[in-house]
Amino acid sequence: MTIAVKMTVNGRPVAAEIEPRTLLTQFLREPLRLTGTQVGCDTSQCGACMVHLDGRAVKACTVLAAQANGAKVLTIEGVGAANGELDPMQAAFKQHHGLQCGFCTPGMIMSALALVKDNPDPSEETIREGLSGNICRCTGYHNIVKAVHAGAAALKGRGKST
Ligand code: FES
Ligand code: FES
Protein backbone atom coordinates (compact mmCIF):
# COMPACT_ATOMS: atom_id res chain seq x y z
CA MET A 1 0.00 0.00 0.00
CA THR A 2 1.22 3.51 -0.76
CA ILE A 3 -0.07 6.95 0.11
CA ALA A 4 0.20 10.26 -1.73
CA VAL A 5 2.11 13.11 -0.13
CA LYS A 6 2.70 16.67 -1.27
CA MET A 7 4.90 19.25 0.36
CA THR A 8 7.08 22.21 -0.46
CA VAL A 9 10.77 21.48 -0.07
CA ASN A 10 13.21 24.37 -0.32
CA GLY A 11 10.54 26.38 -2.10
CA ARG A 12 9.81 23.67 -4.66
CA PRO A 13 6.52 21.74 -4.70
CA VAL A 14 7.03 17.97 -4.57
CA ALA A 15 4.57 15.10 -4.73
CA ALA A 16 5.11 11.36 -4.42
CA GLU A 17 3.54 8.01 -3.65
CA ILE A 18 5.27 6.52 -0.62
CA GLU A 19 4.94 3.73 1.89
CA PRO A 20 3.17 5.03 5.01
CA ARG A 21 6.17 4.10 7.18
CA THR A 22 8.59 6.31 5.19
CA LEU A 23 10.48 8.67 7.47
CA LEU A 24 11.01 12.27 6.41
CA THR A 25 14.77 11.59 6.38
CA GLN A 26 14.30 8.76 3.88
CA PHE A 27 11.95 10.83 1.75
CA LEU A 28 14.40 13.72 1.58
CA ARG A 29 17.49 11.57 0.99
CA GLU A 30 16.15 8.94 -1.40
CA PRO A 31 13.58 10.13 -3.91
CA LEU A 32 14.54 13.79 -3.52
CA ARG A 33 18.32 13.14 -3.29
CA LEU A 34 18.74 15.88 -0.65
CA THR A 35 21.54 14.07 1.10
CA GLY A 36 22.67 17.04 3.20
CA THR A 37 20.12 15.82 5.74
CA GLN A 38 22.27 13.20 7.43
CA VAL A 39 21.38 10.07 9.39
CA GLY A 40 23.83 9.68 12.24
CA CYS A 41 21.98 7.43 14.68
CA ASP A 42 18.94 5.25 15.08
CA THR A 43 17.99 6.62 18.50
CA SER A 44 16.91 10.20 17.60
CA GLN A 45 19.81 11.62 19.57
CA CYS A 46 22.41 13.02 17.15
CA GLY A 47 20.57 15.87 15.41
CA ALA A 48 22.36 15.28 12.10
CA CYS A 49 18.95 15.06 10.43
CA MET A 50 17.68 18.48 11.59
CA VAL A 51 15.46 20.33 9.12
CA HIS A 52 12.89 23.11 9.46
CA LEU A 53 9.27 21.99 9.25
CA ASP A 54 6.94 24.96 8.87
CA GLY A 55 9.71 27.12 10.35
CA ARG A 56 10.52 24.95 13.37
CA ALA A 57 13.65 22.87 13.75
CA VAL A 58 12.78 19.17 13.94
CA LYS A 59 14.71 15.93 13.72
CA ALA A 60 13.55 14.53 10.41
CA CYS A 61 14.14 10.97 11.63
CA THR A 62 11.36 11.46 14.18
CA VAL A 63 8.76 12.51 11.60
CA LEU A 64 6.93 10.38 9.06
CA ALA A 65 6.92 11.92 5.61
CA ALA A 66 3.13 11.60 5.73
CA GLN A 67 3.10 13.88 8.79
CA ALA A 68 4.81 16.54 6.69
CA ASN A 69 2.05 16.37 4.08
CA GLY A 70 1.15 19.94 3.09
CA ALA A 71 4.06 21.41 5.07
CA LYS A 72 6.97 23.62 4.11
CA VAL A 73 10.30 21.90 4.62
CA LEU A 74 13.68 23.63 4.56
CA THR A 75 16.84 21.54 4.34
CA ILE A 76 20.47 22.62 4.30
CA GLU A 77 20.37 22.66 0.49
CA GLY A 78 17.78 25.47 0.62
CA VAL A 79 19.61 27.69 3.10
CA GLY A 80 22.07 29.48 0.82
CA ALA A 81 21.22 31.69 -2.13
CA ALA A 82 20.30 30.16 -5.49
CA ASN A 83 23.55 31.53 -6.96
CA GLY A 84 25.58 29.44 -4.50
CA GLU A 85 26.33 32.24 -2.05
CA LEU A 86 26.46 30.87 1.48
CA ASP A 87 23.98 31.98 4.11
CA PRO A 88 25.76 34.10 6.77
CA MET A 89 25.48 31.22 9.26
CA GLN A 90 27.13 28.83 6.80
CA ALA A 91 29.83 31.40 6.09
CA ALA A 92 30.44 31.82 9.85
CA PHE A 93 30.93 28.06 10.31
CA LYS A 94 33.48 28.14 7.49
CA GLN A 95 35.28 31.22 8.76
CA HIS A 96 35.42 30.13 12.42
CA HIS A 97 36.29 26.49 11.75
CA GLY A 98 33.02 25.27 13.24
CA LEU A 99 33.51 21.88 11.63
CA GLN A 100 36.05 19.14 11.08
CA CYS A 101 34.60 16.08 9.33
CA GLY A 102 31.42 18.05 8.59
CA PHE A 103 28.99 15.22 9.25
CA CYS A 104 27.10 17.09 11.96
CA THR A 105 27.33 20.47 10.25
CA PRO A 106 24.07 20.60 8.26
CA GLY A 107 22.11 19.71 11.39
CA MET A 108 24.10 22.18 13.48
CA ILE A 109 23.39 24.96 11.00
CA MET A 110 19.67 24.17 10.84
CA SER A 111 19.50 24.24 14.65
CA ALA A 112 21.56 27.43 14.80
CA LEU A 113 19.29 29.18 12.32
CA ALA A 114 16.21 28.22 14.32
CA LEU A 115 17.93 29.38 17.50
CA VAL A 116 18.85 32.83 16.20
CA LYS A 117 15.40 33.32 14.78
CA ASP A 118 14.10 33.34 18.36
CA ASN A 119 17.27 34.81 19.92
CA PRO A 120 19.00 37.21 17.50
CA ASP A 121 21.73 37.95 20.07
CA PRO A 122 22.21 34.64 21.91
CA SER A 123 24.50 34.18 24.90
CA GLU A 124 27.01 31.34 24.98
CA GLU A 125 24.72 29.51 27.39
CA THR A 126 21.74 29.96 25.05
CA ILE A 127 23.77 28.66 22.11
CA ARG A 128 25.00 25.62 24.02
CA GLU A 129 21.48 24.87 25.22
CA GLY A 130 20.01 25.48 21.75
CA LEU A 131 22.46 23.02 20.22
CA SER A 132 22.08 20.42 22.95
CA GLY A 133 20.12 18.18 20.58
CA ASN A 134 23.04 18.09 18.12
CA ILE A 135 26.05 15.89 18.73
CA CYS A 136 29.50 16.60 17.27
CA ARG A 137 32.19 13.98 17.76
CA CYS A 138 35.04 16.10 16.35
CA THR A 139 35.19 19.72 17.40
CA GLY A 140 34.65 19.91 21.15
CA TYR A 141 31.93 22.51 20.33
CA HIS A 142 34.08 25.57 21.11
CA ASN A 143 34.38 26.75 17.50
CA ILE A 144 30.77 25.86 16.81
CA VAL A 145 29.70 28.26 19.57
CA LYS A 146 32.00 30.94 18.13
CA ALA A 147 30.56 30.36 14.67
CA VAL A 148 26.97 30.65 15.89
CA HIS A 149 27.81 33.92 17.67
CA ALA A 150 29.34 35.27 14.47
CA GLY A 151 26.52 33.97 12.29
CA ALA A 152 23.93 35.53 14.60
CA ALA A 153 25.73 38.88 14.43
CA ALA A 154 25.96 38.71 10.64
CA LEU A 155 22.28 37.85 10.29
CA LYS A 156 21.32 40.62 12.70
CA GLY A 157 23.44 43.06 10.70
CA ARG A 158 21.50 42.11 7.59
CA GLY A 159 18.19 42.30 9.41
CA LYS A 160 17.68 38.67 8.41
CA SER A 161 16.88 35.56 10.39
CA THR A 162 16.27 32.61 8.08
FE1 FES B 1 20.21 11.02 14.64
FE2 FES B 1 17.96 11.89 13.51
S1 FES B 1 19.50 10.65 12.63
S2 FES B 1 18.66 12.30 15.50
FE1 FES C 1 32.67 15.86 12.70
FE2 FES C 1 30.94 17.44 13.96
S1 FES C 1 32.53 18.03 12.63
S2 FES C 1 30.90 15.29 13.81
Side-chain angles (χ1 to χ4, degrees), residues 98-105 108 135-139 144:
L99 62 142
Q100 288 181 28
C101 80
F103 190 86
C104 70
T105 312
M108 286 285 180
I135 293 172
C136 176
R137 62 186 175 182
C138 303
T139 64
I144 291 176

Short mmCIF file of all heavy atoms in Angstrom, two decimals, residues 98-105 108 135-139 144, ligand 2:
data_model
loop_
_atom_site.label_atom_id
_atom_site.label_comp_id
_atom_site.label_asym_id
_atom_site.label_seq_id
_atom_site.Cartn_x
_atom_site.Cartn_y
_atom_site.Cartn_z
N GLY A 98 34.04 25.93 12.41
CA GLY A 98 33.02 25.27 13.24
C GLY A 98 32.76 23.84 12.80
O GLY A 98 31.70 23.29 13.09
N LEU A 99 33.69 23.26 12.07
CA LEU A 99 33.51 21.88 11.63
C LEU A 99 34.87 21.23 11.38
O LEU A 99 35.85 21.92 11.13
CB LEU A 99 32.69 21.80 10.34
CG LEU A 99 33.29 22.50 9.12
CD1 LEU A 99 33.03 21.67 7.88
CD2 LEU A 99 32.70 23.88 8.96
N GLN A 100 34.86 19.90 11.49
CA GLN A 100 36.05 19.14 11.08
C GLN A 100 35.62 18.15 10.00
O GLN A 100 35.74 18.44 8.83
CB GLN A 100 36.70 18.48 12.29
CG GLN A 100 37.41 19.53 13.16
CD GLN A 100 38.10 18.93 14.36
OE1 GLN A 100 38.51 17.77 14.35
NE2 GLN A 100 38.23 19.71 15.41
N CYS A 101 35.03 17.01 10.38
CA CYS A 101 34.60 16.08 9.33
C CYS A 101 33.37 16.60 8.58
O CYS A 101 33.14 16.24 7.44
CB CYS A 101 34.32 14.69 9.90
SG CYS A 101 32.71 14.53 10.71
N GLY A 102 32.57 17.44 9.24
CA GLY A 102 31.42 18.05 8.59
C GLY A 102 30.14 17.25 8.67
O GLY A 102 29.10 17.73 8.19
N PHE A 103 30.19 16.06 9.26
CA PHE A 103 28.99 15.22 9.25
C PHE A 103 27.83 15.88 10.01
O PHE A 103 26.68 15.83 9.58
CB PHE A 103 29.30 13.84 9.84
CG PHE A 103 28.19 12.85 9.63
CD1 PHE A 103 28.11 12.11 8.46
CD2 PHE A 103 27.20 12.68 10.59
CE1 PHE A 103 27.07 11.22 8.25
CE2 PHE A 103 26.16 11.79 10.39
CZ PHE A 103 26.10 11.06 9.21
N CYS A 104 28.15 16.49 11.13
CA CYS A 104 27.10 17.09 11.96
C CYS A 104 26.68 18.47 11.47
O CYS A 104 25.69 19.03 11.95
CB CYS A 104 27.59 17.23 13.40
SG CYS A 104 28.87 18.50 13.60
N THR A 105 27.45 19.05 10.55
CA THR A 105 27.33 20.47 10.25
C THR A 105 25.97 20.89 9.68
O THR A 105 25.42 21.91 10.12
CB THR A 105 28.48 20.90 9.30
OG1 THR A 105 29.71 20.39 9.83
CG2 THR A 105 28.55 22.42 9.19
N MET A 108 23.70 21.08 12.60
CA MET A 108 24.10 22.18 13.48
C MET A 108 23.60 23.51 12.92
O MET A 108 23.09 24.36 13.66
CB MET A 108 25.62 22.26 13.60
CG MET A 108 26.25 21.19 14.44
SD MET A 108 25.97 21.51 16.21
CE MET A 108 26.83 20.08 16.88
N ILE A 135 24.79 16.45 18.23
CA ILE A 135 26.05 15.89 18.73
C ILE A 135 27.15 16.06 17.67
O ILE A 135 26.92 15.80 16.48
CB ILE A 135 25.87 14.39 19.07
CG1 ILE A 135 24.93 14.26 20.27
CG2 ILE A 135 27.21 13.72 19.36
CD1 ILE A 135 24.53 12.84 20.59
N CYS A 136 28.31 16.53 18.12
CA CYS A 136 29.50 16.60 17.27
C CYS A 136 30.59 15.76 17.92
O CYS A 136 30.90 15.96 19.09
CB CYS A 136 29.98 18.04 17.12
SG CYS A 136 31.51 18.15 16.16
N ARG A 137 31.17 14.84 17.15
CA ARG A 137 32.19 13.98 17.76
C ARG A 137 33.60 14.50 17.48
O ARG A 137 34.58 13.88 17.90
CB ARG A 137 32.04 12.55 17.27
CG ARG A 137 32.23 12.43 15.80
CD ARG A 137 31.93 11.04 15.29
NE ARG A 137 32.02 11.05 13.84
CZ ARG A 137 31.79 10.01 13.08
NH1 ARG A 137 31.43 8.88 13.63
NH2 ARG A 137 31.89 10.09 11.78
N CYS A 138 33.71 15.63 16.75
CA CYS A 138 35.04 16.10 16.35
C CYS A 138 35.51 17.35 17.07
O CYS A 138 36.66 17.44 17.45
CB CYS A 138 35.07 16.43 14.86
SG CYS A 138 34.61 15.10 13.76
N THR A 139 34.67 18.36 17.16
CA THR A 139 35.19 19.72 17.40
C THR A 139 35.34 20.11 18.85
O THR A 139 36.02 21.10 19.14
CB THR A 139 34.24 20.76 16.76
OG1 THR A 139 32.98 20.67 17.44
CG2 THR A 139 34.05 20.54 15.28
N ILE A 144 32.18 25.81 17.24
CA ILE A 144 30.77 25.86 16.81
C ILE A 144 30.07 27.02 17.51
O ILE A 144 29.34 27.80 16.89
CB ILE A 144 30.07 24.51 17.08
CG1 ILE A 144 30.64 23.43 16.15
CG2 ILE A 144 28.56 24.64 16.92
CD1 ILE A 144 30.09 22.03 16.39
FE1 FES B 2 32.67 15.86 12.70
FE2 FES B 2 30.94 17.44 13.96
S1 FES B 2 32.53 18.03 12.63
S2 FES B 2 30.90 15.29 13.81
#
